[in-house]
Amino acid sequence: MKKDIKIIGSGFSSLSAACYLAKQGHTVTIYEKNQTIGGRARQLKRDGFTFDIGPTWYWMPDVFERFFADFDKKPSDYYELKKLSPAYQVYFGINEFVTISDNLEEIANTFESIEKGSSVALKKFMAVAKSNYDIAIKDLVYRPGVSPLELITLETAKKINKFFGTISKDVKSKFKNKKLIQILEFPVLFLGAKPSDTPSFYSFMNYADFGMGTWHPKNGMYSVILALEKLALELGVKINTNSNIDKISVYNGKAEGLVVNGKIVQADLILSGADYHHTETLLDQKYRMYSEKYWESKTFAPSSLLFYVGFDKKVKNVEHHSLFFDVDFDIHAEAIYDDPKWPEEPLFYASFPSKTDLNCAPEGKEAGIFLIPIAPGIEDTPEIREKYFEIIMTRFENLTGQDLKNNVIFKESFCVKDFIKDYNSYKGNAYGLANTLFQTAFLRPKLKSNKVKNLYFTGQLTVPGPGVPPALISGKLVAELIKKNKSY
């Protein structure tokens, strides 16, 4: 039966869900509090420069292909993709870096040049990672997290030990060189937890990295948001920006509408792709599934201090994606997860999209994005931001052998306070709820409210978890759950 569905937020998961629900025949309307759509994946344009505010990595292209195929489309109908070669670079010291190629054979050769015998170990490790990927991404993550039985299959039964080991232990048992260990531990940071707290099964992220490569959509990740918007509009979805949600209206235990900018909007069903914790604050206390104590007890993915910088010249000695691991990874991780505070010597990541995409900066200039992962909820002031910009730019100059501070045309920053203000993000986290063993699948917050009829959730705090591909999948899962439940 055709129903009137209202969706809160316009990030990847909301847009994905909107497309699936519209395809089912429902009337779908999205409400976005900000001026532009995209949620965390919005775009910044300034003085001829273009930056992705949020995600900058395009991994798991098969997930995007599977999404568009559900609508008899393909990514190339909407945007142009380029595989990055090399994929990225990792700096460990002054002029001391490892370049990660766009194919496993060359990566294995690079490993072998650093640690004798590691090419063979890598190929064995990657064979397991691919097997895990085939099970996880082609099957398990497309399950709604309703029951623990979803995880029990013939294939997962063979890998039960992979849920109790950790990425860190696995990697360190096979490789001795610290650089190689850090490179292999890096991809799971996208899952929002320390490698020592991430189950071995998540090595499928290494296959996403080395096996499938790193891609760049022309004009940036925002091109994918625009693709989803176009598809949604083609399917009849209505999208309203500058539309703040004040309250979810509930009557006799049933969601009946939204209060948008002070006005009541009726609905047969409500779906929120906004921050899960924030969404529940839009309900009266008795209708909330999860207490403040519950959220306090959870392991959240990091927040970030981000800088969007316009340089008046081209930046040398870096790739499109560059990681700076020249300081102690474990000490920085402790400052995020164990003793939340600003790290004294932060690891950081830099992206220069104009290396690949000439549309991202004026000719002869460079667009730079710098990211420091930090603990959510820590102090955020202009003085702290400026201090850390100075820290990472000094290191960046030293490591890459160039002067750049005097070539900054402008810089804009984004940190904890902005994540809270723009996205109502719990403690200003950037990536959602970490994928630790006890925060996986059915152990994550549910897609469907058990206290309010016709209220559903999607996004990075529910299943399957953090990241752009999981967000697309989350939208599909909730749409299928709505269709299956027919609770309206």
Side-chain angles (χ1 to χ4, degrees):
M1 186 185 297
K2 183 178 179 180
K3 291 294 176 181
D4 185 2
I5 298 177
K6 301 292 196 279
I7 298 179
I8 305 172
S10 66
F12 277 108
S13 58
S14 291
L15 288 168
S16 169
C19 291
Y20 285 109
L21 292 168
K23 184 185 176 187
Q24 290 175 18
H26 301 295
T27 299
V28 181
T29 307
I30 289 173
Y31 294 93
E32 166 59 51
K33 75 185 283 283
N34 293 304
Q35 290 182 352
T36 57
I37 65 164
R40 284 167 166 79
R42 291 180 302 154
Q43 190 179 62
L44 168 66
K45 289 193 171 189
R46 178 171 168 180
D47 301 344
F49 293 83
T50 300
F51 307 88
D52 282 314
I53 292 178
T56 56
W57 294 77
Y58 191 105
W59 274 7
M60 304 184 189
D62 56 323
V63 174
F64 295 86
E65 290 164 7
R66 184 166 172 177
F67 169 81
F68 284 107
D70 285 341
F71 303 92
D72 297 319
K73 304 284 187 181
K74 48 189 184 293
S76 59
D77 293 333
Y78 296 96
Y79 54 90
E80 183 183 326
L81 272 180
K82 179 179 181 180
K83 190 175 188 183
L84 297 183
S85 180
Y88 57 91
Q89 200 167 48
V90 188
Y91 266 88
F92 295 97
I94 295 174
N95 291 321
E96 184 186 353
F97 55 84
V98 175
T99 301
I100 301 300
S101 180
D102 65 347
N103 65 85
L104 181 57
E105 196 60 43
E106 286 187 32
I107 296 170
N109 291 338
T110 298
F111 270 50
E112 188 67 26
S113 70
I114 295 170
E115 179 183 322
K116 189 174 173 60
S118 64
S119 61
V120 175
L122 178 65
K123 289 178 179 178
K124 289 180 180 177
F125 180 78
M126 290 302 297
V128 174
K130 183 182 186 304
S131 172
N132 290 346
Y133 189 92
D134 289 341
I135 295 169
I137 304 303
K138 295 178 182 176
D139 186 12
L140 290 185
V141 296
Y142 284 91
R143 301 187 181 196
V146 172
S147 162
L149 297 177
E150 293 172 4
L151 295 179
I152 302 174
T153 68
L154 182 61
E155 295 302 322
T156 56
K158 296 175 186 174
K159 292 178 176 283
I160 190 68
N161 63 312
K162 293 291 180 184
F163 288 94
F164 296 100
T166 70
I167 289 288
S168 186
K169 282 183 181 177
D170 274 10
V171 169
K172 287 173 180 174
S173 71
K174 296 172 177 63
F175 303 90
K176 303 306 173 192
N177 184 275
K178 190 174 181 180
K179 294 176 188 174
L180 301 186
I181 290 169
Q182 286 189 305
I183 289 169
L184 287 168
E185 288 182 341
F186 149 67
V188 302
L189 297 180
F190 285 100
L191 301 170
K194 290 192 294 187
S196 57
D197 290 333
T198 302
S200 301
F201 185 70
Y202 284 104
S203 69
F204 65 73
M205 290 296 292
N206 293 103
Y207 179 71
D209 180 3
F210 289 178
M212 306 188 81
T214 302
W215 301 74
H216 175 75
K218 188 176 181 181
N219 298 323
M221 288 294 288
Y222 198 66
S223 294
V224 188
I225 288 291
L226 295 178
L228 294 178
E229 178 191 37
K230 186 177 180 185
L231 176 60
L233 294 174
E234 289 168 351
L235 292 164
V237 176
K238 297 186 183 102
I239 301 175
N240 298 310
T241 54
N242 296 310
S243 299
N244 187 61
I245 308 302
D246 304 310
K247 191 174 180 62
I248 297 173
S249 301
V250 179
Y251 182 72
N252 284 341
K254 181 179 178 181
E256 293 201 330
L258 299 171
V259 180
V260 184
N261 294 337
K263 296 181 180 179
I264 297 175
V265 176
Q266 298 297 323
D268 298 317
L269 186 146
I270 302 296
L271 168 62
S272 179
D275 179 273
Y276 205 121
H277 169 269
H278 169 72
T279 301
E280 288 219 308
T281 68
L282 301 175
L283 297 163
D284 292 338
Q285 189 76 44
K286 64 181 178 180
Y287 292 127
R288 299 173 191 174
M289 288 194 294
Y290 303 104
S291 66
E292 288 298 320
K293 186 177 179 182
Y294 169 88
W295 294 112
E296 284 285 344
S297 71
K298 295 293 141 184
T299 300
F300 272 80
S303 185
S304 299
L305 170 55
L306 290 135
F307 295 101
Y308 311 99
V309 187
F311 294 100
D312 67 9
K313 69 176 185 180
K314 302 302 288 184
V315 177
K316 301 181 298 183
N317 305 328
V318 287
E319 297 296 338
H320 181 131
H321 295 297
S322 296
L323 304 165
F324 294 85
F325 287 179
D326 55 306
V327 296
D328 195 301
F329 175 92
D330 293 329
I331 293 176
H332 187 152
E334 284 175 15
I336 296 174
Y337 297 104
D338 304 326
D339 180 20
K341 62 184 178 183
W342 281 93
E344 289 183 20
E345 293 186 298
L347 286 79
F348 65 97
Y349 153 69
S351 172
F352 301 94
S354 45
K355 292 269 177 200
T356 301
D357 196 333
L358 299 179
N359 295 330
C360 292
E363 188 175 354
K365 299 178 182 179
E366 201 88 86
I369 302 168
F370 297 83
L371 181 154
I372 303 172
I374 57 173
I378 60 176
E379 184 183 14
D380 172 19
T381 67
E383 293 76 19
I384 290 174
R385 296 188 189 194
E386 195 61 36
K387 171 187 172 183
Y388 278 86
F389 184 73
E390 178 65 26
I391 288 172
I392 64 171
M393 284 306 298
T394 297
R395 289 223 328 262
F396 183 83
E397 288 182 328
N398 291 337
L399 291 166
T400 62
Q402 61 193 313
D403 295 325
L404 279 174
K405 290 178 187 175
N406 293 329
N407 299 100
V408 173
I409 304 169
F410 67 83
K411 73 173 185 293
E412 294 196 18
S413 62
F414 200 95
C415 198
V416 172
K417 286 183 177 177
D418 301 297
F419 280 103
I420 294 170
K421 176 176 68 73
D422 288 2
Y423 312 131
N424 296 308
S425 170
Y426 181 74
K427 290 188 176 180
N429 81 82
Y431 308 110
L433 205 58
N435 265 345
T436 60
L437 177 61
F438 295 106
Q439 293 181 177
T440 293
F442 67 96
L443 296 172
R444 297 179 71 81
K446 302 302 182 188
L447 291 168
K448 182 179 184 296
S449 173
N450 60 17
K451 290 195 173 183
V452 180
K453 192 176 181 182
N454 293 348
L455 175 61
Y456 291 79
F457 302 84
T458 187
Q460 58 188 7
L461 291 182
T462 182
V463 292
V468 175
L472 285 178
I473 295 167
S474 187
K476 178 175 184 173
L477 292 178
V478 75
E480 290 178 343
L481 192 62
I482 288 168
K483 182 179 181 180
K484 179 181 177 182
N485 283 337
K486 294 181 179 176
S487 57
Y488 39 76

